[in-house]
Amino acid sequence: MSVLPRGATVRRDAGPYGYERALRRHGVTHVAGVDEAGRGACAGPLVAGACILPPGRSGIVPGLADSKLLAAAARERCYDQVVKRALAWSVVVVSHEECDRLGMHVANVEALRRAVALLPVAPEYVLTDGFPVDGLGVPGLAVWKGDRVAACISAASVIAKVTRDRLMDDLDGQWPAYDFKTHKGYITETHTAALAEHGPSPVHRMRFVNVRRAAGLES
């Protein structure tokens, strides 16, 4: 299913909790959001988060927004509030080896499915960011810029992003030459320079052409 239930509508000015409220008015109690972090990085793991926020004031997370729009300190504060307030949440880490084995799109979809499956409360409906994800076992809707307009997706994006950032900080301690704590494995000028100087680390994704080039596998 890629539409809202028959008769359900979301006003443009409904705010970030509009999708959940519209679904609850039609008898859907447990609405999960799911999102990932690290799909565009060429090093480190891919991380997916899923979250069900409770109805009412208890489910309103102060300062919640798309994780990419929040400063690191604000994301950490939101993360603490999300895991405190959530009716259910989960997080899945897909290693760089599995990303290479599956390819990024397949790994991404698989991570989102796993995150939903691991929720300790079964969702009745799932909102995804940008593109539909099949195989979830329940109806769902792909929401354009979902991590900005649907609170449960924003919450999932915060869970995924904070978890991945912490993992990349740990990897920076093991491989300091790449400065993972700053760019988190994304293809910045600093990261590109480090790849050119040192070649790929053991946590780089070898399917990425820039990594293969640094390893001498691409011209």
Side-chain angles (χ1 to χ4, degrees), residues 153-166:
I153 301 178
S154 298
S157 77
V158 167
I159 291 170
K161 175 66 173 167
V162 170
T163 299
R164 187 175 190 277
D165 283 359
R166 292 173 179 176

Side-chain angles (χ1 to χ4, degrees), residues 148-187:
R148 300 188 185 188
V149 302
C152 58
I153 301 178
S154 298
S157 77
V158 167
I159 291 170
K161 175 66 173 167
V162 170
T163 299
R164 187 175 190 277
D165 283 359
R166 292 173 179 176
L167 293 172
M168 295 307 296
D169 287 345
D170 290 342
L171 290 178
D172 181 76
Q174 299 177 49
W175 310 100
Y178 299 92
D179 194 23
F180 289 140
K181 69 179 183 298
T182 300
H183 55 69
K184 303 297 189 280
Y186 290 92
I187 308 171

Side-chain angles (χ1 to χ4, degrees), residues 59-142:
I60 297 177
V61 180
L64 182 62
D66 173 11
S67 64
K68 296 185 292 294
L69 303 179
L70 297 172
R75 276 198 303 270
E76 289 282 351
R77 289 193 296 269
C78 273
Y79 176 91
D80 291 341
Q81 286 293 317
V82 166
V83 299
K84 176 182 178 181
R85 294 168 180 267
L87 184 65
W89 65 277
S90 66
V91 66
V92 167
V93 178
V94 179
S95 70
H96 64 281
E97 294 101 335
E98 190 168 6
C99 290
D100 277 342
R101 180 173 63 83
L102 296 176
M104 285 311 305
H105 179 70
V106 175
N108 186 41
V109 172
E110 180 62 21
L112 298 174
R113 288 183 185 132
R114 291 178 193 175
V116 172
L118 284 175
L119 284 168
V121 175
E124 301 164 69
Y125 199 95
V126 178
L127 300 177
T128 60
D129 180 28
F131 62 91
V133 177
D134 60 7
L136 296 177
V138 294
L141 177 69

Side-chain angles (χ1 to χ4, degrees), residues 3-63:
V3 296
L4 290 170
R6 185 177 178 84
T9 59
V10 180
R11 291 166 54 100
R12 289 187 177 183
D13 60 353
Y17 297 88
Y19 281 92
E20 288 100 318
R21 289 169 179 157
L23 287 161
R24 287 179 183 126
R25 286 196 297 269
H26 283 72
V28 181
T29 303
H30 298 147
V31 182
V34 63
D35 201 9
E36 53 73 31
R39 180 173 53 185
C42 66
L46 174 72
V47 178
C51 184
I52 301 174
L53 294 172
R57 294 180 61 87
S58 61
I60 297 177
V61 180

Side-chain angles (χ1 to χ4, degrees), residues 42 177-178 187 190-201 204 210-211 214-215:
C42 66
Y178 299 92
I187 308 171
T190 300
H191 192 180
T192 299
L195 270 173
E197 181 177 357
H198 304 287
S201 75
H204 275 89
N210 63 319
V211 177

